[in-house]
Amino acid sequence: MNQTVRVAIYARVSTEEQAEYGYSIDAQLDTLREYCKVHNWEVVGEYVDRGISGKSIEGRYELQRLLRDAQDKMFDEVFVWKFNRMARKNIDLLHIVDLLEKNNVAFRSLSENFDTTTSMGKFALQMMGAVGELERNTIVDNVKMGHRQRARTGKHNGKVPLGYRSVKIDERGRETRIVVIEEEAALVLNIFEQYAAGHGLKAIANDLNHRGHKTKTGKTFSTCAIRDILDNPMFVGKIRYNRYENWAERRRKGKSSEIILAEGHHPAIISEELWEKVQLLRHKKSVMPKKRFEGEYLLTGLIRCPECGAAMTASRTVNRAKDGTKIVRMYYSCGRFRSEGSSVCHANSVRKDEAEKIVMKRIRDAVMKPDILKKVTRSVNEHRLGRIKPLRDELAAVQARIDKLEMKKRKYLELYEMDEIDRSLFAERLNDLNRELDTELTRRSKLQLELRDDQAEPVSYELVRSLVGRFDALLSRSPFPQRKTLLHLIVKRITLDDRKRVGSVELAFNEETEKHFLSVAPSAESTAEGAFPLSGKAPRLTQNLTITI
């Protein structure tokens, strides 16, 4: 007798696809369920990512849950309506399918009519994936071409900066006009005038923050925000486009050599003369030598400010003794204070050498003293248990909101079927409800994933000892660059108490860091208290683990 095929259905639709092409999650699910029913396949799970783009795995909690369930052998096959529901990029699609195959799980697409259990199916997947990515890239290129043409004709693309707002001039909202917001424009003019008068980026940010001003997104001003305003030619009546290519993947590394600069249709906020003066100063300061701090700062960005929680960065003071000798003292100081000024936070400086010494000693003590490590292990397990009830309560609240929204949808459908509600009003309300429902369903998926991690078996003392011990052994024998890399990979954050002393060191281990950086188990001195000569294979980490010491 043939064994019943256990199938997991996966469906996804982005908000744009749903609005523009009318793609429906329910239609995908109904089609896949019916096909499984005809072929006597058992649907053991449905995984649905609603209103989420397929350009990456990040944020797709149902896909993440599906991949974990595949590792737990909960089904034999993953079934999708179209292959591009799984991933938009060919490399991501192949990676996902490879992960499924390693767990003996087949991948099948209904529309393309292939499955990966055959050689031809694998070949078809690769070809269709390449074609799908070509289609996506063609659409992206066409959109970029349109944006470039708009820029060449003096029209703005995307969000407008401080001082402006975009106003729709047609019913469909495709044509817009840029107008000046007088209050914000006065602020932009003040920023340019201050810089032209010789004030630095931090001094300007500090002044604006003290006066209670906010950026376009409602945040306090930083040196980066001031710099971006001073470098934006839109304020002098020009349109700049294509500074960076593929910003989502490459960020500032994708600097383009084909920048478009054209006269805009929008009004200028500052004069050409003031713009040129500021740009001259910007150029002069850009070629000035940057400050260079002597010494090796291990914990930059890891220590958190005890006042505002921002990352602390390298700083120093230089004084002279009575005999004229230069005395240099090195610290870690609040990054927000250094960037945004005293209205936002204070320096809260801690001595560099003292902080680094305490952190390294804290890690070593955890390895060498069993009582400390046992307490740490107990704390890890208690924390995980303590998280379960709040997560369950939140999950219950989310589920209640989902049920309420589903009930509302049914009521509106009943009213529509009874001709008691206008069609356009029904469509508008249904869209609103679907958006709210997508948000709640995504939140439910995320909570279910978090609960799954926290409900795993308790963490063992041997595992914690192995991880922290291998980490310490690598730190003790590595040169500075590797030591700093290891710390930034493993240390999640270092907190300070109210007296600016190291309070806790939070270590975050996961399968990737454990596999690639802590896989070789170093042996310890057998005479040391609590030492563990690890011979053979060290305990393997199968979940994300946070340890506070």
Side-chain angles (χ1 to χ4, degrees), residues 141 143-157 238-242 258-265:
D141 288 342
V143 170
K144 285 181 179 177
M145 188 186 304
H147 285 172
R148 282 194 288 267
Q149 184 57 31
R150 280 180 58 85
R152 289 191 188 100
T153 57
K155 295 179 180 178
H156 181 70
N157 293 296
K238 291 182 170 61
I239 291 295
R240 181 182 60 195
Y241 184 71
N242 208 39
E258 299 178 3
I259 298 173
I260 296 170
L261 191 64
E263 289 294 333
H265 296 296

Side-chain angles (χ1 to χ4, degrees), residues 498-515:
D498 53 4
R499 297 175 64 182
K500 291 189 285 191
R501 299 176 304 186
V502 173
S504 64
V505 180
E506 198 172 314
L507 310 178
F509 297 95
N510 58 46
E511 290 182 66
E512 291 300 309
T513 54
E514 199 266 353
K515 175 183 175 183

Side-chain angles (χ1 to χ4, degrees), residues 15 18 405 408-409 412 424-440:
T15 305
Q18 198 160 0
L405 288 167
K408 281 185 179 180
K409 281 181 65 176
Y412 274 102
S424 60
L425 179 62
F426 169 71
E428 182 183 344
R429 190 65 190 119
L430 199 62
N431 284 335
D432 291 340
L433 287 171
N434 281 332
R435 277 195 292 270
E436 291 180 52
L437 195 57
D438 288 349
T439 301
E440 296 298 340

Side-chain angles (χ1 to χ4, degrees), residues 78-95:
V78 172
F79 194 28
V80 297
W81 174 54
K82 292 183 73 172
F83 74 90
N84 63 10
R85 299 301 87 199
M86 191 63 84
R88 282 290 189 183
K89 290 185 178 178
N90 201 24
I91 189 169
D92 291 337
L93 178 65
L94 295 175
H95 171 72

Side-chain angles (χ1 to χ4, degrees), residues 277-338:
K277 184 176 181 180
V278 165
Q279 297 316 301
L280 178 63
L281 288 171
R282 293 283 296 134
H283 176 71
K284 290 271 187 187
K285 291 186 178 183
S286 70
V287 296
M288 290 172 63
K290 301 285 190 296
K291 289 182 181 178
R292 294 190 178 274
F293 294 154
E294 295 85 2
E296 298 173 330
Y297 287 81
L298 273 174
L299 308 177
T300 303
L302 297 178
I303 301 181
R304 295 287 164 173
C305 173
E307 185 177 348
C308 72
M312 301 185 78
T313 57
S315 67
R316 70 171 188 169
T317 60
V318 180
N319 304 106
R320 290 199 178 274
K322 290 181 179 179
D323 61 359
T325 307
K326 188 164 69 171
I327 303 172
V328 179
R329 293 187 177 89
M330 293 180 284
Y331 300 91
Y332 292 103
S333 301
C334 175
R336 287 195 75 195
F337 165 76
R338 293 178 59 78

